[in-house]
Amino acid sequence: MNKIIIGLMAVALAVCLINYGIDAFFYLKNRYCRFHIGRWKQEEWEKAVEKKAVKWLKKTPTVKITDNSRYMLLDFLNGKYRSKTIQSWQKAALILGLLEGQSEVSKKAAEAAAEALIDSSGNWKEPPVAVDCGMLSYAVLKASSDPQKIKPAMDISIAVIKKNINEERMVSYTGGKENPDMYVDTIGLVCPFLALYAEIFQSSEWEDIAFYQIKMFHQYGLYENTALPNHAFHIKSKLPLGVYGWGRGTAWYVIGLMDTYKNIKKKEYKDSLKEWIFDAAEKYLVYQRQDGGFGAILQRTQTYDSSATAALAWFYMNCYKIFSEEKYKKIAEKCMKKLLSCTRITGAIDWCQGDTKDIGVFAQTYDLMPFAQGMALRAMDLK
């Protein structure tokens, strides 16, 4: 009997040690990895960010879907620590950032990473199940030297998106097509892919659908006279849901505007997108913080988020290319200086808001996010 009790106590002690050991590991990792953060020279920093992105292509860090810092073993066991759909757009941003740069080595690494996701028949090795796949599909399609070879995979992504189009012709981000909540995330994750797919495979219906998503969000999802997007709006009532000006939500909005603008062909669509891009660029000027960053909530400048800042750096560099306004370039450069100050000695950009839990329910943890690394590289590529 005593042996059984001792055995059970030993097992309990081992479980406790493993559980608290995991908690202690992540605590120490997050505490001490920020030593000497931000001590970079510009050129040295850019190379370090790129080098880290190449490394992350092979093993992309997890963006956790929990804010818990205790009993994390339970999150691992219950599948509440990691999500494949969130990871897909982390890798997508890395591929895009490296693909659009000047380094041939980095471009080849991006192309190889994209190719590794597709099997010999042109299908996904791991078929997507959610509309998040749009951004990764966009990156893979851009990276492909022969789009026809990967058309089966792209058609699977289109089928996933089509399955989630509701009777109002809007793409539902979560919960299937019966979900009436139209998220801003969909604008950045889906619309650029649909526009590029339409261009490459001569399927104009998807160009129409891409533009329609943005048009509807522009009409019902923005706060009047600010261009600040809400987290979502209700497709039936057209009422806003959640918070206006969420930083990464704004990033999704401008990514959708800009990347769709680059790939869309119909003149009336392109003209409207250009007008909305200019409006957003002008309206967001007042929200840049003194240190160059943008907030986790844009209009609340006491907050800060590197993922929003990286995306807006890229957005404003694109605006400079389109409108030749020097002020846009200066805004982007200020963003980049702030990102430099938030980069660890490993070359990883820090202080990114974690995964959103629900409409208006935002992460309280700020850590690494490969998406921000990729968007920062995309901004550098435009210099």
Side-chain angles (χ1 to χ4, degrees):
M1 188 68 178
N2 287 338
K3 288 184 178 179
I4 294 174
I5 292 172
I6 291 171
L8 290 172
M9 289 179 66
V11 170
L13 179 61
V15 170
C16 287
L17 287 172
I18 293 170
N19 180 56
Y20 290 115
I22 290 172
D23 290 352
F25 170 77
F26 281 100
Y27 172 78
L28 293 171
K29 179 173 175 285
N30 285 327
R31 182 176 179 85
Y32 294 107
C33 67
R34 288 172 174 154
F35 281 175
H36 301 292
I37 193 169
R39 300 184 183 183
W40 295 95
K41 293 180 181 179
Q42 184 70 29
E43 187 176 342
E44 178 188 44
W45 172 68
E46 291 179 6
K47 289 180 180 177
V49 170
E50 183 178 12
K51 183 178 179 181
K52 177 60 72 174
V54 171
K55 183 178 180 180
W56 278 353
L57 276 179
K58 299 174 184 176
K59 188 177 180 181
T60 308
T62 295
V63 175
K64 63 178 186 172
I65 56 175
T66 174
D67 276 343
N68 292 341
S69 58
R70 295 184 179 181
Y71 310 117
M72 292 175 66
L73 178 61
L74 294 176
D75 289 328
F76 286 121
L77 296 175
N78 291 326
K80 294 180 179 179
Y81 185 79
R82 178 185 174 94
S83 165
K84 284 185 179 180
T85 58
I86 293 168
Q87 290 303 117
S88 74
W89 47 268
Q90 306 304 319
K91 177 157 280 190
L94 292 173
I95 291 171
L96 289 170
L98 293 167
L99 186 68
E100 295 170 4
Q102 302 301 314
S103 167
E104 286 302 317
V105 173
S106 293
K107 283 183 182 179
K108 286 180 181 177
E111 289 166 356
E115 187 178 341
L117 299 169
I118 307 294
D119 65 21
S120 58
S121 63
N123 283 297
W124 293 105
K125 289 181 179 177
E126 291 188 37
V129 295
V131 298
D132 296 67
C133 71
M135 191 174 189
L136 186 59
S137 302
Y138 178 69
V140 170
L141 190 52
K142 282 197 73 175
S144 176
S145 59
D146 186 355
Q148 290 299 329
K149 283 187 177 179
I150 63 166
K151 192 173 186 294
M154 300 300 101
D155 287 345
I156 290 172
S157 298
I158 287 291
V160 170
I161 293 166
K162 188 174 184 177
K163 184 180 176 182
N164 287 279
I165 296 178
N166 60 34
E167 60 185 18
E168 304 281 345
R169 293 176 57 218
M170 294 292 288
V171 179
S172 293
Y173 179 52
T174 62
K177 66 180 181 180
E178 301 306 319
N179 186 358
D181 304 337
M182 301 293 103
Y183 287 69
V184 69
D185 310 53
T186 311
I187 305 303
L189 286 166
V190 173
C191 296
F193 169 59
L194 296 183
L196 184 60
Y197 181 94
E199 178 191 2
I200 290 176
F201 300 116
Q202 300 297 300
S203 183
S204 63
E205 67 170 304
W206 294 107
E207 183 177 55
D208 296 337
I209 290 170
F211 179 76
Y212 186 72
Q213 308 306 302
I214 301 172
K215 177 186 173 183
M216 288 290 283
F217 208 93
H218 185 265
Q219 186 172 355
Y220 297 110
L222 304 185
Y223 191 69
E224 190 176 4
N225 297 321
T226 68
L228 291 172
N230 204 295
H231 197 157
F233 73 91
H234 194 283
I235 192 61
K236 299 294 186 184
S237 68
K238 306 299 190 291
L239 291 174
L241 303 167
V243 178
Y244 285 105
W246 168 43
R248 198 159 61 247
T250 306
W252 288 131
Y253 177 63
V254 298
I255 289 169
L257 285 178
M258 190 62 72
D259 272 336
T260 306
Y261 169 80
K262 290 179 180 180
N263 295 290
I264 214 155
K265 294 304 173 190
K266 286 187 181 177
K267 186 179 185 304
E268 62 269 32
Y269 292 172
K270 207 167 186 72
D271 289 346
S272 292
L273 289 170
K274 186 175 182 180
E275 179 184 332
W276 298 339
I277 287 168
F278 180 75
D279 185 52
E282 288 294 302
K283 295 285 174 54
Y284 300 156
L285 291 171
V286 297
Y287 302 124
Q288 188 170 35
R289 292 158 36 115
Q290 286 295 111
D291 62 6
F294 281 91
I297 302 295
L298 249 65
Q299 64 272 33
R300 191 166 187 267
T301 54
Q302 301 97 313
T303 65
Y304 172 72
D305 172 25
S306 287
S307 70
T309 301
L312 284 162
W314 169 81
F315 174 70
Y316 273 107
M317 280 304 297
N318 274 290
C319 289
Y320 170 65
K321 299 289 184 181
I322 294 168
F323 302 110
S324 300
E325 287 277 359
E326 193 69 27
K327 63 182 177 182
Y328 296 152
K329 184 180 180 182
K330 288 180 180 177
I331 290 167
E333 288 173 344
K334 284 184 68 178
C335 286
M336 300 302 274
K337 285 182 180 178
K338 176 60 180 176
L339 291 171
L340 181 153
S341 76
C342 294
T343 302
R344 298 178 183 181
I345 58 172
T346 60
I349 295 173
D350 205 339
W351 299 110
C352 302
Q353 187 179 48
D355 179 52
T356 305
K357 317 309 174 194
D358 199 354
I359 292 175
V361 184
F362 303 115
Q364 300 303 303
T365 56
Y366 288 76
D367 206 330
L368 308 180
M369 179 172 275
F371 167 79
Q373 198 88 7
M375 294 308 297
L377 279 172
R378 294 187 82 188
M380 291 178 200
D381 297 338
L382 292 167
K383 289 198 310 174

